[in-house]
């Protein structure tokens, strides 16, 4: 099974409600879909969102990176040489992690198809059913409370609450949501770099003193501020998770060395795909550090890949934040992983199991 060419498409899917964080507000998914064709007729699918405020990738940069730097290195290579192909992808250029991720996902999809097995089995096996949280966008307090209660009524047992816009209001948001869902759901806060270290300590100590028990707080400070992250981690009881601070294995090792955070958030769009995500999970497991696996605003194409990784690496990945498909107004994918509110199930279909993508607009 040799790679013959790579094609691109644009996939647009409206969200059920606008996605609002401390960094941005979005009302639809707009992702680049990558299709790797082979001489055997098999097609591998990958996907990448343009998350410029986090990864630096745009739609144009994703396509151009793949077309001019990554694709020429891969044509003619046999999918069975997986490690060599992933090495070529990662070494094609610096940064551009989302572009690399889209191509790697499609390659791993083909690798599963080559051996006729779902990807998670080739990665080590595991329980093919996992449970995700769901994101509650930052908004007026009453709206966030209503959204949280609705999510709990739909069966979600973990809520990721977006904060980081206004620390005083953030504290009141969390108190109100906690009072509304206490005993029915765990709360995870995501500040998206919206606080300073001192603000984070103040906010979390205030919530702890008020009796609010949080499962974790994600990326309270700026991505580059590892000293600030360590400052927060040492001064609060609530577990602190690094997200934007950690893209690859090298940063994970430094974060663990510094003891700057308690948990690591793995996202394929940050790691450049599956190969580095696996390395991060293995490093974390070696040091006894828990991981979450998350996603950007992605559909069930690339999120399916993250699900397979989560299932296969459950020894390290103990928390799941793969709600992208649940936030979409509809699922454009036939086949693949099954997303049913909080429950995610992997089928026995080879690779990612994707049969068709509806509404895809091809890019010349």
């Amino acid at each position: 099974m040799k790679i013959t060419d790579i094609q691109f498409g644009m996939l647009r899917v409206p969200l059920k409600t606008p996605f609002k964080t401390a960094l941005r507000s979005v009302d639809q998914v707009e992702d680049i879909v990558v299709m790797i064709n082979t001489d055997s007729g098999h097609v591998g699918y990958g996907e990448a969102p343009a998350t410029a405020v986090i990864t630096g990738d745009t739609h144009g940069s994703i396509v151009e990176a793949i077309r001019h730097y990554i694709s020429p290195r891969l044509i003619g290579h046999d999918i069975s040489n997986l490690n060599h192909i992933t090495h070529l992808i990662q070494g094609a250029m610096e940064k551009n992690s989302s572009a690399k991720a889209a191509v790697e996902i499609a390659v791993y999809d083909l690798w599963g198809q080559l051996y006729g097995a779902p990807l998670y089995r080739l990665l080590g096996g595991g329980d093919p059913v996992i449970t995700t949280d769901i994101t509650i966008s930052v908004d007026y307090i009453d709206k966030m409370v209503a959204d949280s209660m609705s999510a709990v009524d739909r069966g979600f047992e973990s809520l990721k609450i977006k904060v980081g816009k206004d620390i005083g209001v953030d504290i009141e948001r969390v108190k109100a949501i906690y009072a509304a869902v206490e005993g029915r759901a765990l709360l995870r806060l995501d500040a998206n770099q919206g606080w300073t270290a001192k603000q984070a300590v103040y906010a979390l100590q205030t919530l702890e003193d008020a009796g609010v028990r949080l499962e974790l707080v994600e990326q309270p400070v700026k991505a580059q501020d590892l000293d600030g992250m360590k400052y927060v981690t040492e001064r609060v009881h609530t577990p602190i998770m690094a997200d934007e601070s950690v893209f690859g294995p090298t940063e994970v090792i430094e974060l663990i060395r510094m003891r700057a955070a308690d948990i690591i958030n793995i996202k394929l769009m940050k790691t450049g795909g599956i190969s580095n995500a696996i390395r991060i999970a293995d490093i974390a497991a070696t040091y006894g550090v828990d991981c979450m696996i998350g996603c950007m605003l992605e559909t069930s194409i690339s999120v399916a890949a993250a699900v397979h990784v989560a299932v296969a690496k459950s020894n390290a990945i103990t928390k799941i934040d793969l709600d992208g498909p649940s936030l979409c107004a509809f699922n454009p994918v036939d086949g693949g992983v099954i997303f049913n509110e909080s429950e995610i199930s992997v089928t026995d279909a080879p690779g990612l199991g994707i049969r068709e993508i509806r509404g895809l607009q091809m890019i010349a």
Side-chain angles (χ1 to χ4, degrees), residues 192-255:
N192 284 114
Q193 310 177 59
W195 295 334
T196 67
K198 287 187 176 181
Q199 284 177 328
V201 170
Y202 166 73
L204 297 179
Q205 287 183 348
T206 299
L207 290 169
E208 289 171 355
D209 290 346
V212 175
R213 297 292 174 258
L214 303 172
E215 185 182 8
L216 60 87
V217 175
E218 182 175 349
Q219 198 64 45
V221 301
K222 295 296 183 185
Q224 298 79 13
D225 189 10
L226 290 188
D227 288 331
M229 184 90 74
K230 180 179 175 67
Y231 179 91
V232 178
T233 300
E234 291 177 340
R235 287 165 175 79
V236 300
H237 297 293
T238 304
I240 302 299
M241 182 168 70
D243 180 11
E244 290 92 341
S245 291
V246 178
F247 273 60
T250 301
E251 292 154 318
V252 170
I253 292 169
E254 177 64 8
L255 182 139

Side-chain angles (χ1 to χ4, degrees), residues 214-355:
L214 303 172
E215 185 182 8
L216 60 87
V217 175
E218 182 175 349
Q219 198 64 45
V221 301
K222 295 296 183 185
Q224 298 79 13
D225 189 10
L226 290 188
D227 288 331
M229 184 90 74
K230 180 179 175 67
Y231 179 91
V232 178
T233 300
E234 291 177 340
R235 287 165 175 79
V236 300
H237 297 293
T238 304
I240 302 299
M241 182 168 70
D243 180 11
E244 290 92 341
S245 291
V246 178
F247 273 60
T250 301
E251 292 154 318
V252 170
I253 292 169
E254 177 64 8
L255 182 139
I256 292 173
R257 185 193 68 78
M258 290 181 61
R259 299 184 179 180
D262 304 294
I263 309 166
I264 295 162
N265 194 355
I266 301 171
K267 291 179 179 174
L268 300 188
M269 297 304 139
K270 293 187 306 172
T271 63
I274 294 173
S275 61
N276 276 330
I278 291 170
R279 290 186 183 98
I280 290 172
D282 288 342
I283 291 167
T286 299
Y287 287 94
V289 175
D290 282 350
C291 294
M292 173 186 280
I293 193 160
C295 59
M296 306 296 191
L297 279 179
E298 306 164 42
T299 73
S300 58
I301 302 168
S302 53
V303 176
V307 171
H308 281 268
V309 173
V311 169
K313 292 295 176 179
S314 59
N315 62 320
I317 299 171
T318 60
K319 304 177 193 304
I320 310 297
D321 176 32
L322 297 176
D323 61 346
S326 296
L327 300 176
C328 291
F330 62 88
N331 185 1
V333 176
D334 287 334
V337 170
I338 299 169
F339 294 87
N340 181 22
E341 297 288 17
S342 63
E343 185 178 276
I344 304 174
S345 305
V346 184
T347 70
D348 287 332
L352 298 181
I354 296 170
R355 295 190 297 267

Side-chain angles (χ1 to χ4, degrees), residues 14-314:
L15 297 174
K16 293 175 183 175
T17 60
F19 182 83
K20 301 177 183 178
T21 75
L23 296 175
R24 58 182 177 145
S25 179
V26 182
D27 59 11
Q28 70 174 344
V29 172
E30 293 182 289
D31 289 1
I32 299 295
V33 175
V34 171
M35 292 147 284
I36 299 183
N37 298 303
T38 64
D39 61 356
S40 63
H42 293 84
V43 180
Y45 295 97
E47 175 189 14
T51 318
V53 295
I54 298 174
T55 65
D57 297 286
T58 66
H59 292 134
S61 72
I62 291 167
V63 172
E64 292 303 293
I66 297 171
R67 178 176 281 151
H68 296 296
Y69 292 90
I70 300 174
S71 179
R73 306 183 106 206
L74 304 187
I75 303 302
H77 284 278
D78 197 293
I79 291 297
S80 62
N81 296 322
L82 179 68
N83 288 341
H84 180 59
I85 291 175
T86 59
H87 178 73
L88 291 175
I89 294 169
Q90 297 303 320
M93 61 197 307
E94 291 297 315
K95 310 297 183 182
N96 292 274
S97 59
S98 297
K100 293 174 181 177
V103 178
E104 267 212 7
I105 289 167
V107 167
Y108 273 87
D109 183 14
L110 287 168
W111 187 57
Q113 293 178 50
L114 174 64
Y115 293 106
L119 181 57
Y120 81 91
R121 285 191 186 164
L122 298 180
L123 296 178
D127 184 347
V129 180
I130 59 176
T131 302
T132 183
D133 64 11
I134 193 166
T135 300
I136 306 299
S137 289
V138 65
D139 214 314
Y140 296 109
I141 293 176
D142 289 348
K143 176 69 163 56
M144 293 181 73
V145 169
D147 289 346
S148 299
M149 294 178 68
S150 174
V152 171
D153 290 340
R154 286 156 49 201
F156 287 94
E157 297 179 350
S158 294
L159 309 179
K160 186 167 83 165
I161 311 300
K162 291 291 188 179
V163 292
K165 296 281 282 186
D166 180 312
I167 193 160
V169 180
D170 284 339
I171 292 171
E172 296 308 313
R173 286 182 173 112
V174 177
K175 285 181 178 179
I177 294 170
Y178 186 78
V181 303
E182 183 179 4
R184 301 177 64 197
L186 298 174
L187 297 190
R188 303 166 173 173
L189 301 194
D190 185 2
N192 284 114
Q193 310 177 59
W195 295 334
T196 67
K198 287 187 176 181
Q199 284 177 328
V201 170
Y202 166 73
L204 297 179
Q205 287 183 348
T206 299
L207 290 169
E208 289 171 355
D209 290 346
V212 175
R213 297 292 174 258
L214 303 172
E215 185 182 8
L216 60 87
V217 175
E218 182 175 349
Q219 198 64 45
V221 301
K222 295 296 183 185
Q224 298 79 13
D225 189 10
L226 290 188
D227 288 331
M229 184 90 74
K230 180 179 175 67
Y231 179 91
V232 178
T233 300
E234 291 177 340
R235 287 165 175 79
V236 300
H237 297 293
T238 304
I240 302 299
M241 182 168 70
D243 180 11
E244 290 92 341
S245 291
V246 178
F247 273 60
T250 301
E251 292 154 318
V252 170
I253 292 169
E254 177 64 8
L255 182 139
I256 292 173
R257 185 193 68 78
M258 290 181 61
R259 299 184 179 180
D262 304 294
I263 309 166
I264 295 162
N265 194 355
I266 301 171
K267 291 179 179 174
L268 300 188
M269 297 304 139
K270 293 187 306 172
T271 63
I274 294 173
S275 61
N276 276 330
I278 291 170
R279 290 186 183 98
I280 290 172
D282 288 342
I283 291 167
T286 299
Y287 287 94
V289 175
D290 282 350
C291 294
M292 173 186 280
I293 193 160
C295 59
M296 306 296 191
L297 279 179
E298 306 164 42
T299 73
S300 58
I301 302 168
S302 53
V303 176
V307 171
H308 281 268
V309 173
V311 169
K313 292 295 176 179
S314 59

